């Protein structure tokens, strides 16, 4: 189990500069937990808890208001992690997280982590650098929401999810229109209309469970 925990921690950018010996001591306090699809791992407002590292599966981080409207913050897959803010500051969870398919996570409990950090203060430098990058990314996301129209936000979201392959850009796990609307912050019907036009214009194509971007997307819709 410790080998699996160590490999999982190595995928977390916070720990890229941490010596392996120190990381092994942290791995000794971690454990693996499996969850079925639809399990709420974290609810917004929960007390501070563990750091989660996704080993397999897929989760959705989201916010939901009192009327039930949901905004997706991120869809995360193996190698991703979440829960680090409460882990560090002890504040309540800032968002909810639910599994979108059967998922296995590595959990690092908060108190053992804080004890480990006191023993390895150099690791704090790596954590500060990663948090800074995350703040910059959040700033860009807010800029996109504030200054782009729905089409512009949708294009940016599709491009951020796509991976370059021999014949262009591909999103291996094609998101649903509802997932895209939650990410973009608009209605599902609006996403459906835009995607339908992109398919008709031969800009994108549905390839089984994948979405293929066949040529440069138009600057406006």
């Amino acid at each position: 189990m410790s080998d699996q925990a160590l490999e999982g921690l190595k995928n977390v950018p916070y720990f890229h500069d941490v010596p392996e010996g120190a990381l092994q001591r942290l791995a000794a306090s971690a454990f693996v937990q499996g969850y079925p699809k639809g399990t709420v791992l974290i609810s917004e407002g929960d007390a501070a808890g563990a750091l989660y590292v996704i080993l397999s599966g897929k989760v959705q981080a989201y916010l939901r208001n009192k009327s039930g409207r949901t905004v997706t913050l991120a869809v995360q897959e193996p190698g991703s992690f979440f829960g680090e803010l409460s882990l560090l500051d002890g504040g309540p969870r800032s968002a909810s997280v639910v599994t979108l398919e059967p998922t296995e996570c590595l959990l690092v409990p908060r108190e053992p982590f804080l004890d480990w950090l006191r023993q390895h203060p150099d690791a704090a430098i790596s954590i500060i650098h990663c948090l800074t990058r995350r703040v910059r990314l959040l700033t860009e996301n807010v800029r996109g929401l504030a200054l782009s129209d729905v089409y512009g936000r949708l294009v940016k979201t599709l491009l951020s999810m796509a991976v370059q392959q021999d014949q262009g850009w591909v999103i291996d796990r094609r998101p649903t229109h509802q997932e895209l609307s939650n990410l973009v912050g608009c209605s599902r019907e609006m996403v459906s209309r835009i995607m339908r036009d992109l398919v008709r214009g031969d800009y994108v194509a549905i390839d089984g469970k994948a979405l293929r971007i066949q040529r440069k997307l138009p600057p406006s819709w």
Side-chain angles (χ1 to χ4, degrees):
M1 184 66 73
S2 60
D3 289 342
Q4 186 181 19
L6 180 61
E7 291 305 311
L9 291 176
K10 285 181 178 179
N11 287 327
V12 179
Y14 291 159
F15 305 132
H16 282 178
D17 297 327
V18 176
E20 184 162 324
L23 206 55
Q24 285 176 335
R25 287 186 280 277
L26 181 60
S29 67
F31 61 94
V32 175
Q33 181 71 48
Y35 305 94
K37 178 181 178 181
T39 301
V40 177
L41 305 181
I42 291 174
S43 292
E44 183 180 359
D46 282 354
L51 170 72
Y52 290 73
V53 181
I54 304 173
L55 301 177
S56 65
K58 184 166 63 172
V59 307
Q60 174 194 21
Y62 64 94
L63 299 174
R64 179 172 292 160
N65 63 17
K66 292 181 179 179
S67 64
R69 182 186 176 190
T70 297
V71 175
T72 298
L73 301 178
V75 174
Q76 296 177 269
E77 299 185 342
S80 298
F81 59 96
F82 57 92
E84 73 279 10
L85 295 182
S86 289
L87 184 80
L88 292 168
D89 70 4
R93 299 294 196 181
S94 58
S96 300
V97 180
V98 63
T99 58
L100 298 178
E101 58 187 49
T103 299
E104 191 173 63
C105 293
L106 175 73
L107 277 71
V108 181
R110 183 168 186 265
E111 290 306 322
F113 172 80
L114 294 178
D115 289 341
W116 174 83
L117 194 60
R118 294 185 189 102
Q119 297 169 23
H120 302 281
D122 289 348
I125 301 300
S126 178
I127 291 173
I128 289 170
H129 288 166
C130 285
L131 283 174
T132 300
R133 287 195 291 271
R134 285 211 160 192
V135 169
R136 291 184 185 279
L137 178 60
L138 178 60
T139 300
E140 287 304 311
N141 289 342
V142 171
R143 185 197 308 277
L145 285 172
L147 302 180
S148 299
D149 59 15
V150 170
Y151 174 76
R153 298 200 301 270
L154 179 58
V155 166
K156 184 176 181 179
T157 298
L158 292 174
L159 293 177
S160 70
M161 300 172 73
V163 176
Q164 191 170 17
Q165 295 185 1
D166 293 340
Q167 298 180 350
W169 293 82
V170 176
I171 302 173
D172 287 327
R173 296 185 180 183
R174 175 166 49 91
T176 67
H177 290 181
Q178 185 62 60
E179 289 172 340
L180 287 173
S181 71
N182 290 341
L183 286 167
V184 171
C186 70
S187 69
R188 181 183 59 79
E189 291 75 16
M190 176 63 75
V191 169
S192 296
R193 288 199 295 270
I194 295 173
M195 292 301 296
R196 184 166 55 246
D197 286 351
L198 291 175
V199 170
R200 287 174 177 171
D202 203 31
Y203 291 100
V204 302
I206 296 172
D207 185 4
K209 293 184 178 181
L211 182 71
R212 187 176 300 277
I213 300 175
Q214 305 193 113
R215 56 196 179 104
K216 184 177 180 180
L217 298 176
S220 60
W221 177 72

